[in-house]
Amino acid sequence: MKYTKINLDQWDRGELFQFYMEHMRIVMSLTVDVDVTRLIRFTRQSGLNFYGVMVWTVSKVVNAHDEFKYGWSKGGDLIRWEVISPSYVHFHPEDQRFTKLFTPFSPDLASFHAQFLADKEAGTAGTSCLGKHPTSSTSPACPGYDIATATSMCSTTDGSLPQWSPGESMKRNRGDGPCH
C-alpha cells in the first residue's frame, strides 16, 4: 500500500498537529442522519447489493478527502495513505456472530461491487477475519483516529492497509439489525 511520509517541520499544520498529539486526547465522533431513499432506489433498479453500494459510496467520499487518509507508519511517522480500503462485517443471525471482511477499494462501482460480493460470499462460511484482512482493529481504542457516521475509520500502526468500517447504525435505525 502506498503512502507519503509527512515532514512535520515542513507541513503547514505540523506545529498544530504536534501540539494536539502531545497535549490533547484526540477523538472525533460524528453521527448524522442521511436520507438513502435514492440510493435504495438505484440499487434495486440496478440489481445491486445495497450494503455493497453504501460501503463503496462512503469509501469514495473518504478517498476524495486527504484529511481522512492520515495514519502512522510502522516507525511511528505520520503518513497520508494514497487509498483507504473498507473493512466491514457479515452478521450471522444463527449464532449472533460476525465475520470481519475486507475489500480493496476501486473507484469503479461495478468492479468494487463484484469483489465485494465475492468477499462476502467467501466470508459467510466463517466467523473470524479473513486472511487478507489488515491486522488492525476498527475499535475506537485503535491508535490513530476514529471517524464515525455510518462508518468507523481507523489508521493502522503496523504498515498494513488503512481501513474504515461501516457501523451497524443503519440496521439499528431501520429496526431490523442485531443492534435494534
Side-chain angles (χ1 to χ4, degrees):
M1 192 60 147
K2 295 181 181 179
Y3 61 82
T4 301
K5 181 178 173 183
I6 306 299
N7 182 329
L8 293 176
D9 294 328
Q10 295 177 355
W11 187 34
D12 61 345
R13 299 179 66 184
E15 186 177 349
L16 183 61
F17 178 84
Q18 286 180 310
F19 172 81
Y20 273 91
M21 290 304 295
E22 293 170 6
H23 302 287
M24 310 289 270
R25 181 175 180 266
I26 312 294
V27 175
M28 178 192 165
S29 183
L30 172 70
T31 302
V32 295
D33 290 328
V34 177
D35 183 356
V36 295
T37 304
R38 292 182 355 189
L39 188 61
I40 291 170
R41 187 178 312 120
F42 169 78
T43 58
R44 287 180 180 161
Q45 291 172 348
S46 304
L48 299 172
N49 176 285
F50 174 79
Y51 189 42
V53 174
M54 188 271 304
V55 168
W56 177 82
T57 301
V58 175
S59 295
K60 185 170 175 136
V61 170
V62 166
N63 279 292
H65 300 279
D66 282 346
E67 296 83 0
F68 294 142
K69 298 193 290 186
Y70 287 96
W72 304 103
S73 70
K74 284 182 182 180
D77 296 314
L78 178 66
I79 60 173
R80 185 179 58 249
W81 294 104
E82 184 177 298
V83 175
I84 301 288
S85 291
S87 66
Y88 48 93
V89 296
H90 172 74
F91 179 66
H92 299 273
E94 66 277 2
D95 62 5
Q96 305 287 304
R97 296 176 78 189
F98 294 88
T99 301
K100 190 172 184 182
L101 305 172
F102 167 78
T103 300
F105 177 71
S106 169
D108 178 68
L109 174 57
S111 298
F112 178 85
H113 190 265
Q115 187 61 56
F116 170 86
L117 292 177
D119 292 341
K120 191 171 181 229
E121 181 65 29
T124 59
T127 54
S128 62
C129 294
L130 294 181
K132 69 175 187 170
H133 189 278
T135 57
S136 69
S137 166
T138 56
S139 139
C142 180
Y145 54 90
D146 184 52
I147 297 172
T149 56
T151 69
S152 177
M153 179 178 181
C154 187
S155 56
T156 62
T157 57
D158 64 359
S160 64
L161 300 175
Q163 60 188 295
W164 70 264
S165 178
E168 287 296 316
S169 60
M170 177 185 68
K171 290 182 179 179
R172 181 174 52 249
N173 291 338
R174 284 196 327 244
D176 64 348
C179 302
H180 65 290

